[in-house]
Amino acid sequence: MSLVNLNIFPRTTTGKNANRRTRAAGRVPAIVYGHEREATNVELDAHQFDVAMIHLAGRSAIFKLEQDGVSEEHIALLREVQRNPVTDEVLHIDLYEIPRGKPVTVPVAVHVVGSNHAVKTGEASVALSLDTIEISCRPSQLPEMIEVDITELGLNDKIFVGDITPPVGEFVTDAEMLVLNIKPAVVFADEEETEEGAAGAAGAEDAASAEGGEEKSED
């Protein structure tokens, strides 16, 4: 996955009033910290950040940080985005710098691929238990998604994390974790019929009890 560029600018002022002025100018207060660096207050262009997040579309947000006058490459993982609960405006951003040459552990989205006959005919559906799998690899090697092919699966077949070959690096998520299974559609139909039957039986019992009560009242 190609890294998304993100421009950062030095920030010398802090506090609520300073942060308000920063946001009013179209920028977002942020902090960059990491294992091998001191925390640094910076600010980002709000529009560029919004565009970057749309481009990532739910994928792991790892950025190549660019700053005027700094030639050394810095790569950072988005740790937290604080938003206004009413307006959804971005209030503050936390970025964790990844040491050069070091692997990073991040969740990557599971993407189901392939045409499964049972699913296609409506005999079954895909029951997804994990929508992400944590993977450890170099930031520049991070895959956009982890594909799981369901083409050859039959009814009740299951896929666990250990059944999938990591595209790069290694999985950190437990190998015994269930990713998905092909669940027969008839199971849902049987459950609905059972629920309807139980509801009907309960209704009949209630009616019989009501009739019995009326007869006693007449006596």
Side-chain angles (χ1 to χ4, degrees):
M1 180 179 81
S2 58
L3 300 178
V4 177
N5 293 341
L6 191 64
N7 295 321
I8 61 173
F9 307 90
R11 180 164 60 101
T12 56
T13 57
T14 58
K16 290 183 178 180
N17 291 331
N19 288 346
R20 289 194 190 100
R21 289 193 292 269
T22 297
R23 289 191 287 270
R27 292 188 174 180
V28 181
I31 186 170
V32 182
Y33 63 98
H35 178 66
E36 298 179 358
R37 68 167 293 164
E38 293 183 3
T40 305
N41 291 315
V42 298
E43 56 188 51
L44 318 173
D45 181 272
H47 177 68
Q48 185 191 29
F49 180 76
D50 287 340
V51 171
M53 295 305 292
I54 292 172
H55 173 73
L56 288 166
R59 290 172 288 163
S60 299
I62 295 183
F63 300 104
K64 178 181 177 182
L65 304 181
E66 297 186 340
Q67 183 177 346
D68 287 343
V70 178
S71 58
E72 186 178 359
E73 183 179 277
H74 293 272
I75 297 174
L77 172 69
L78 179 65
R79 281 294 194 195
E80 184 180 6
V81 178
Q82 298 175 23
R83 293 181 180 272
N84 184 303
V86 177
T87 65
D88 203 39
E89 176 190 16
V90 177
L91 302 178
H92 193 275
I93 295 168
D94 288 8
L95 296 165
Y96 179 81
E97 184 175 348
I98 303 167
R100 297 187 64 181
K102 299 288 186 179
V104 60
T105 299
V106 293
V108 177
V110 171
H111 182 58
V112 179
V113 298
S115 178
N116 182 276
H117 178 73
V119 174
K120 189 175 181 179
T121 58
E123 297 177 52
S125 62
V126 179
L128 192 64
S129 298
L130 282 182
D131 54 8
T132 62
I133 296 176
E134 286 198 331
I135 190 171
S136 177
C137 65
R138 297 281 182 89
S140 59
Q141 298 176 325
L142 189 68
E144 294 188 0
M145 60 190 68
I146 297 171
E147 294 188 344
V148 180
D149 192 345
I150 62 171
T151 303
E152 300 299 327
L153 298 184
L155 294 177
N156 296 310
D157 280 352
K158 299 178 180 179
I159 290 184
F160 297 89
V161 172
D163 299 324
I164 306 171
T165 301
V168 293
E170 60 182 7
F171 288 143
V172 177
T173 302
D174 190 337
E176 296 184 1
M177 289 289 289
L178 178 67
V179 177
L180 62 81
N181 68 304
I182 304 300
K183 197 166 187 178
V186 67
V187 171
F188 300 112
D190 287 346
E191 289 176 353
E192 290 176 0
E193 290 173 4
T194 301
E195 289 175 359
E196 290 175 1
E205 289 178 2
D206 291 341
S209 298
E211 289 176 3
E214 289 177 1
E215 289 176 2
K216 290 180 179 179
S217 299
E218 290 175 0
D219 292 341

